[in-house]
Amino acid sequence: TQLLEQSPQFLSIQEGENLTVYCNSSSVFSSLQWYRQEPGEGPVLLVTVVTGGEVKKLKRLTFQFGDARKDSSLHITAAQPGDTGLYLCAGQHLWGGTASKLTFGTGTRLQVTL
Amino acid sequence: GAVVSQHPSWVICKSGTSVKIECRSLDFQATTMFWYRQFPKQSLMLMATSNEGSKATYEQGVEKDKFLINHASLTLSTLTVTSAHPEDSSFYICSAREASWLYNEQFFGPGTRLTVL
């Protein structure tokens, strides 16, 4: 059972447009990570958010962790073809100082065309 | 970020044979390694978690006798697909983390594409 639902599942936009990807859960996570994966490669870590309400920026990418630490969003400004890929959120619990396994979201496939 | 490698990057084998995939942490000691499976256009599915020097913990539905995992050192874990069949064809990805890392991030290898004929 997927505990993290991402929306949209697929997004095709033109270069220069803005977009937001959502990652929602009914569970509270200790931390949440965003990855980007290109075809035939492993996921690459983009960011880790750990505090409710936290906002982190990575160039044109803005990540936000929900106040209740149940959801997160990724906003891309002025998308470029190089942003094309599969975006995955992944939540993690921390119990007594021990980290759990990652629970991956359903994924959002982004295609940016010229 | 930390670097994780996998070998081979792709492999084609005949049905009934066994295939071993290696996962190495190149610049850190991986106290925990994870093995995932990914089908086309889908998210990652965790197969098993392995801690150095102990037996792997398999996810529900994953056959431990078919997918043998060995984490013999802090830099190497192996996944052996035994008696492979066409339905085992998939993209296998490992990840690793070090216990001392503040946010317990996992860093992923580049994946191994297995095709069973």
Side-chain angles (χ1 to χ4, degrees):
Chain A
T1 304
Q2 288 281 8
L3 299 179
L4 279 166
E5 292 288 336
Q6 287 183 235
S7 61
Q9 291 184 3
F10 179 76
L11 192 55
S12 180
I13 61 172
Q14 290 189 320
E15 183 180 19
E17 292 185 32
N18 301 332
L19 67 117
T20 302
V21 177
Y22 299 94
C23 173
N24 294 299
S25 172
S26 57
S27 299
V28 176
F29 290 101
S30 302
S31 66
L32 193 136
Q33 296 163 14
W34 283 93
Y35 294 85
R36 182 173 71 213
Q37 183 183 24
E38 299 190 27
E41 299 181 11
V44 175
L45 179 65
L46 297 174
V47 77
T48 300
V49 286
V50 297
T51 306
E54 180 178 6
V55 177
K56 281 192 174 179
K57 291 192 175 184
L58 184 66
K59 295 184 181 178
R60 294 177 293 99
L61 278 61
T62 301
F63 304 85
Q64 184 163 9
F65 203 9
D67 291 340
R69 290 186 287 127
K70 291 183 178 181
D71 53 82
S72 181
S73 64
L74 157 60
H75 182 79
I76 301 179
T77 303
Q80 298 176 1
D83 296 327
T84 294
L86 177 67
Y87 288 82
L88 295 162
C89 64
Q92 192 166 50
H93 298 285
L94 194 64
W95 294 304
T98 301
S100 71
K101 58 190 178 185
L102 283 176
T103 299
F104 273 92
T106 47
T108 295
R109 191 165 297 277
L110 172 65
Q111 185 173 54
V112 183
T113 56
L114 293 171
Chain B
V3 181
V4 176
S5 70
Q6 275 184 246
H7 179 80
S9 55
W10 60 270
V11 57
I12 301 173
C13 69
K14 292 182 179 179
S15 185
T17 61
S18 295
V19 174
K20 180 184 284 188
I21 302 170
E22 291 186 350
C23 177
R24 294 181 184 272
S25 58
L26 300 186
D27 52 0
F28 66 99
Q29 293 188 322
T31 44
T32 307
M33 284 185 166
F34 304 84
W35 285 96
Y36 295 84
R37 186 173 179 175
Q38 186 177 33
F39 291 105
K41 299 186 178 182
Q42 293 188 21
S43 187
L44 277 68
M45 291 178 56
L46 179 65
M47 298 175 67
T49 302
S50 73
N51 292 294
E52 186 265 339
S54 60
K55 289 184 178 180
T57 301
Y58 289 81
E59 294 299 299
Q60 192 173 10
V62 178
E63 299 175 58
K64 58 183 66 177
D65 293 331
K66 181 167 186 61
F67 298 99
L68 301 179
I69 292 171
N70 186 293
H71 191 169
S73 78
L74 283 172
T75 59
L76 174 64
S77 176
T78 60
L79 167 67
T80 301
V81 183
T82 62
S83 186
H85 291 285
E87 57 265 31
D88 298 325
S89 297
S90 189
F91 194 51
Y92 292 87
I93 311 174
C94 72
S95 71
R97 72 181 181 204
E98 188 183 287
S100 65
W101 290 343
L102 179 62
Y103 296 134
N104 299 292
E105 291 106 329
Q106 292 180 27
F107 288 90
F108 286 79
T112 296
R113 182 158 304 283
L114 169 63
T115 302
V116 184
L117 301 177

